[in-house]
Amino acid sequence: MKSKNKKYDVVLIGAEQDIIFELNRSKHRILGYFGKKKNDCKIKYLGTFNKIEKYLNAHINSRLCISMGPTNRRKLFLNRFRKKIFTYVSNKSIVSKDIKIGLGSFIQAFCFIGNNVLIDSCCKINIRSSIHHDCKIGSCTDIAPSVTILGNVGIGQECYIGSGTVIREKIQIKNKVMTGIKSAVVSNIKSEGVYVGVPAKKIKNNYKRP
């Protein structure tokens, strides 16, 4: 895998604190963030979403970080600003040279990504998560802190894998699935919804992304 960590000026969609912390630590320069409205954070508010294109055109060396927020918005911005999208892999993670990472995905510090892993576009892999060999992660899926995904697992699009979840080897998980904190997935998940517990059982037919 080629390095994604050339130093850029970065603008954010939203002001998620762990992404701000990670980028500040990595020496990328955050120019500010776009959002529906200004919130109480220490980085500059650049305006509403309809001002993104004009801003990027005026700042030709900047990149747009979209690995947070609603999935429909991530997809919209990915298609609209493809040449300006920012992809990030922390230099404090252990990452195989044989992985493939889609445009707009963000891998935080202290993760382990094994051989032959495919992470699709606009995913967020949070701190201290482990994704072992031959796994596939669908687009716009978020992996919360300290998740363990064992070998040959397939996870669909727009999933949210809750903090501390363990997924057994060779498991297949459908699109739009959420797991609860410290759940254990030991059998295939064939329908969307919320799954919690040890072993994980379905409790809802759909979920709202955290």
Side-chain angles (χ1 to χ4, degrees):
M1 184 198 74
K2 293 182 179 179
S3 174
K4 302 289 186 180
N5 283 349
K6 179 179 177 181
K7 301 308 177 186
Y8 286 111
D9 290 341
V10 182
V11 293
L12 308 180
I13 298 300
E16 187 170 304
Q17 290 300 319
D18 55 350
I19 285 182
I20 292 170
F21 178 85
E22 180 70 40
L23 292 181
N24 283 335
R25 185 206 60 78
S26 71
K27 309 302 182 183
H28 292 288
R29 185 166 71 121
I30 302 174
L31 298 179
Y33 72 98
F34 292 95
K36 290 183 178 180
K37 60 182 180 179
K38 184 177 181 180
N39 62 30
D40 185 21
C41 73
K42 295 180 180 180
I43 63 173
K44 185 178 181 180
Y45 178 60
L46 300 174
T48 53
F49 300 131
N50 60 358
K51 296 181 179 180
I52 294 173
E53 186 169 9
K54 182 177 180 181
Y55 187 91
L56 294 177
N57 288 338
H59 298 77
I60 59 174
N61 294 321
S62 63
R63 294 292 183 269
L64 181 66
C65 181
I66 61 172
S67 54
M68 70 284 279
T71 57
N72 59 344
R73 188 178 296 152
R74 298 187 205 188
K75 293 176 182 179
L76 174 66
F77 293 148
L78 177 67
N79 292 330
R80 188 173 178 184
F81 304 113
R82 180 167 291 271
K83 293 182 179 180
K84 301 287 283 186
I85 296 300
F86 179 68
T87 304
Y88 177 83
V89 180
S90 173
N91 59 12
K92 289 189 177 294
S93 284
I94 300 172
V95 178
S96 168
K97 294 180 180 180
D98 297 325
I99 72 170
K100 295 181 180 179
I101 299 176
L103 195 63
S105 285
F106 196 101
I107 298 177
Q108 290 185 234
F110 309 117
C111 292
F112 171 86
I113 314 292
N115 288 336
N116 303 313
V117 169
L118 170 61
I119 298 172
D120 210 336
S121 58
C122 301
C123 295
K124 183 168 180 282
I125 313 300
N126 219 308
I127 187 168
R128 298 191 186 281
S129 288
S130 298
I131 304 175
H132 292 261
H133 65 90
D134 299 293
C135 289
K136 295 181 180 180
I137 312 296
S139 62
C140 297
T141 284
D142 290 347
I143 308 298
S146 301
V147 166
T148 300
I149 303 171
L150 300 179
N152 292 287
V153 167
I155 298 176
Q157 300 177 19
E158 300 182 38
C159 293
Y160 186 94
I161 307 302
S163 181
T165 293
V166 177
I167 302 176
R168 198 189 72 182
E169 67 276 4
K170 300 181 180 180
I171 291 295
Q172 298 297 309
I173 296 176
K174 189 177 173 61
N175 298 342
K176 297 184 179 180
V177 165
M178 177 181 181
T179 66
I181 292 173
K182 293 188 176 180
S183 294
V185 181
V186 298
S187 58
N188 293 338
I189 294 180
K190 299 179 180 180
S191 61
E192 63 183 69
V194 179
Y195 294 76
V196 302
V198 182
K201 301 291 185 182
K202 189 174 187 178
I203 62 168
K204 293 182 180 179
N205 290 326
N206 49 58
Y207 80 95
K208 183 177 180 181
R209 184 174 290 266

